[in-house]
Every structure is written in C-alpha cells, then in structure tokens.
Amino acid sequence: MTTFADLAGRRVGVWGVGVEGSATLRRLAADGIEAAVVVESGWSPDLLDCDVVVKSPGISRRLPEAEALVAAGVELAGGLGLWLAGADRSRVLCVTGTKGKSTTTSIAGQLARGLGASVGVGGNLGSAPWDPQTPAADWWVIETSSYQATDIVLGPRVVAVTSLAQDHLTWHGGYDAYVRDKLSLATRPGVETVVIPAGDLELEAHAALLGGHVRRVPSEHPAWVGRLGLLGEHNRRNALIARAALVALGVPGAEDDDAIAAATAGFEPLPSRLTLVATRGGVDFVDDGLSTNVLAALAALDAFPGRRVALLVGGHDRGIDYTELGRGLASRDADVHLFTMPAAGARIAAEVASVAPGAAITQCDDLPSAVQAGAAWAAPGGVVLLSPAAPSFGAYRDYRHRGEHFAELARGLGES
C-alpha cells in the first residue's frame, strides 16, 4: 500500500490546496519531494501526467475528472490514507459518524491526555497528522469524515461510529452510497474493533457493513460523564463511546473508572456544540451550529425538555430529506417553532409542512431576522436554538463565522 515514503522518485500532483493540501505540500517538501503539479482549485489536465495525485477530501472520486485520472492509470490518493498506510495503526483510533464525531474525538483526546498518554488529535478536526508542523505523538485520535473514508486503504486498529443519517448526498451520489462510503472505514484491513452505540436502529440496519468485530456501548450515566459539562443525552452517549474506544485501543488506564473521572478535568466542550452564548430577556440563546443534518438538530432539541424552543434551521442546500425533521417534530410533545433561513429554508418549510401540517413555521430572510423573530416568540423563559441542519457555505466563511454572528446578534438584543 502506498505511503508518503513511497512517493519519492514518482511524479506527484496535489489536487486541492486547502488545510489538507497545504499539509501535504509541507510533508512532500520535508521528504525532499517537489510536487510536479499543484492545482489549488478546479482542474488541470496536467494531473493526467502524474504517477500519483494526492487529492483534498472535498474532491469526490465520482467526479468525471477523478474517474479520468484512474482510467489513465494515475493513482488517486488522500493524505489520511497515505499517512495511515505508513503509521503504527495499532495506536490509531478513527472516529466517524453523521453526528457526534467531533465531540467524541475531542472527548477521547481529553481522556487520553488526562490518563497521561502522548496523544495527537486531528484529521477532520484540527491538524493533519502527516503535517511536519503537527507534533509527534504515541497515540492518535482522528476524526474521519465520509469524504476521507473513501481515501483510506489500510484501517486503524479501532473505529468508532457514532451515528448514521442522511448527509452529503450530492457529494456521494445518494444515501446508499453515503452509507457505503462512510462505513467502508469499518472493514478496512487492520481494523480489530468497531465501537457503536447500542440500540441505534439505523446503524443496526446496516450492521452487515460494520464487519464482524462490533462492540455495542450501552447507554449509562456514570458520574464521570457529568463532569464533562455536556448538554444532551446524545453527547453523554458520545462520551461513553469515546471511553469504550480508548479501552479497545489499549490506552493505559482507560478501564479504570477513577482514572477516567480524574482525566475529565479541564475539558472544554467544542464551540458551536450546544453552547450557551447569551441570555437576554429571560431567553437562552444556544449555538449548535456544527449540527448540519436533521439527526443532529433533533438530538439538540432533546437537550431542552419542557422548554419552548425556537429552532433556527437553514443554510446551504445539500439535497437531504427534511421530511424526517417534520416527522421528528410531530412526534414531540415539546413546544417548538421552526424559523427557516435560505438557501434551504423554503424547501425545509415545505417538506416539514408536508408531513407535519400542524407544525409552527416562519420563513425568514436571513439569520438576523430569524434571531429577532425567534427571540420574540420564545420569551419569556424559552430557548433560541441555532441547530441549522445545514452547513454555512455561501452566507458565511464557516460554522465559526455563523456562530459568531449568531452570538453577536443575541447579545445585541439587550441585557437580561
């Protein structure tokens, strides 16, 4: 299997120069390799003259240009796959899932560090492990997106899969392909254990794609989980998955409850993950902007039992099925009002209304108008929850930019 070390003496192209592409260029330079072709964005036929093209994860292997490379005999690789092929994979945990992978990755990293392990946390969350600027580590916890999974040939010792639902359908070419691509990570050579939550109906429906070494983690409420300060049952479940994955990986101390409890000290939840950013007029404003699919938005609602919730949804339209959001709302007793925003807002409103005709829905022009309307409806004592079920592409640089704007708008409404 090709590693970074195997690229010496070959004509190497780099396709896409984002975070990972930049890390790949630094790695090649550190190895004394000059990229023959560098395409920052778009496409160049010069890539067809390469022996190996290292692509950014956002470039789908189903693109005609990618298929043309493979047809021409060019090896199409990804940075994470090249790194894994040359790493000590017995000390690597990869975390994937439609929702929860970032939180699970950060918790696993915190616990491993708290246990005294030298651990690197990266991948889709943080730095690339093959980047020369990334510090060396004895153990690795790698958040792995469905995009990155398609580039992996040799798997890590342990894979954790947090959840499964519709996401990135355009990139993958439909839900079935998305599921196959994401779960392909679980059956790569070298994987010894696949950790999943017990009782997850969607994961169980696709259990055949998880391989024969599945460990199901039951839902419990040990005291150490409470010390992490996480909102929502789904996040407590993520903590249990993180701990179970570290046990499977063999990190010293991971089986010791007292050691795990001590290891939680200093944990800070990720920004834009059920983060309280302001309280104004008796209304709590919560940024859950990293929730970019229906499953995550519904899970976020469950974090506020018994409270009125103004749910702000919308953003870049990836073609996912929002009738599931409507069904989820219809099955809840909680008082929820949906405030939708472009570009997906109109379609979200229509699809939710088609299956939940009694749902309260207001279509808004943008985030400022949604915050204003949501705050007016939620007062007093309610929650304005930005859990958009869509990414921020187009209107904002990224989820951080959207979250910052949400917090700014909330704080600008006046003092509580």
Side-chain angles (χ1 to χ4, degrees):
M1 302 301 174
T2 303
T3 70
F4 273 105
D6 297 327
L7 299 181
R10 305 180 73 182
R11 185 175 171 83
V12 179
V14 176
W15 187 11
V17 185
V19 174
E20 285 203 9
S22 298
T24 294
L25 286 172
R26 288 190 290 270
R27 173 59 185 267
L28 293 175
D31 291 347
I33 302 170
E34 182 178 358
V37 181
V38 178
V39 179
E40 292 191 13
S41 61
W43 160 257
S44 170
D46 292 342
L47 292 170
L48 291 165
D49 296 326
C50 296
D51 300 313
V52 180
V53 169
V54 185
K55 72 175 188 66
S56 291
I59 298 171
S60 173
R61 289 176 175 269
R62 294 182 174 86
L63 287 176
E65 296 88 345
E67 293 176 341
L69 286 173
V70 175
V74 179
E75 181 178 351
L76 191 58
L80 184 56
L82 292 171
W83 175 77
L84 270 170
D88 180 357
R89 293 176 289 113
S90 69
R91 288 174 170 255
V92 179
L93 159 65
C94 284
V95 181
T96 194
T98 304
K99 74 172 180 68
K101 58 183 177 293
S102 296
T103 297
T104 303
T105 298
S106 64
I107 294 172
Q110 166 72 33
L111 295 179
R113 283 190 294 268
L115 291 170
S118 166
V119 60
V121 178
N124 195 52
L125 174 74
S127 58
W130 61 92
D131 191 336
Q133 296 180 357
T134 300
D138 295 332
W139 306 83
W140 290 93
V141 181
I142 305 296
E143 180 183 326
T144 309
S145 70
S146 57
Y147 299 172
Q148 292 167 316
T150 64
D151 295 329
I152 291 173
V153 179
L154 296 177
R157 180 178 181 181
V158 179
V159 170
V161 185
T162 59
S163 59
L164 195 60
Q166 288 193 30
D167 210 352
H168 305 300
L169 300 191
T170 302
W171 193 96
H172 290 277
Y175 184 55
D176 288 344
Y178 166 72
V179 171
R180 289 194 303 272
D181 286 346
K182 178 171 281 293
L183 298 187
S184 67
L185 179 62
T187 54
R188 296 302 189 196
V191 176
E192 296 180 5
T193 305
V194 177
V195 179
I196 68 170
D200 187 297
L201 297 181
E202 193 66 8
L203 281 172
E204 294 298 345
H206 296 90
L209 298 176
L210 294 171
H213 305 283
V214 178
R215 177 177 178 183
R216 293 167 172 82
V217 180
S219 180
E220 300 173 347
H221 292 85
W224 68 265
V225 172
R227 298 171 63 142
L228 293 168
L230 298 166
L231 289 175
E233 180 64 28
H234 62 296
N235 278 330
R236 289 185 283 272
R237 184 179 72 173
N238 292 335
L240 297 171
I241 293 170
R243 194 265 181 96
L246 294 181
V247 171
L249 191 61
V251 174
E255 294 183 348
D256 187 319
D257 289 342
D258 292 335
I260 284 290
T264 63
F267 176 74
E268 294 185 6
L270 292 171
S272 296
R273 273 298 191 205
L274 288 175
T275 305
L276 178 65
V277 297
T279 299
R280 296 291 183 266
V283 175
D284 289 337
F285 294 81
V286 178
D287 175 16
D288 193 45
L290 264 173
S291 291
T292 57
N293 54 68
V294 170
L295 185 63
L298 291 174
L301 282 176
D302 291 338
F304 305 99
R307 298 187 67 181
R308 290 160 50 87
V309 179
L311 178 62
L312 277 52
V313 297
H316 178 68
D317 195 341
R318 292 174 298 181
I320 67 175
D321 180 8
Y322 285 105
T323 60
E324 291 303 314
L325 178 61
R327 294 187 183 95
L329 294 176
S331 68
R332 283 164 165 74
D333 296 329
D335 194 0
V336 179
H337 192 120
L338 205 62
F339 295 85
T340 69
M341 303 170 289
R347 189 168 71 83
I348 293 173
E351 292 192 4
V352 168
S354 72
V355 295
I361 305 171
T362 299
Q363 294 190 52
C364 301
D365 293 334
D366 49 27
L367 181 58
S369 60
V371 169
Q372 190 75 38
W377 177 85
V383 177
V384 175
L385 172 63
L386 175 64
S387 192
S392 57
F393 309 145
Y396 296 94
R397 292 189 303 273
D398 53 27
Y399 77 90
R400 294 181 183 87
H401 185 204
R402 179 168 59 183
E404 289 166 358
H405 192 202
F406 174 72
E408 177 186 335
L409 293 166
R411 292 165 185 155
L413 290 175
E415 298 299 325
S416 59

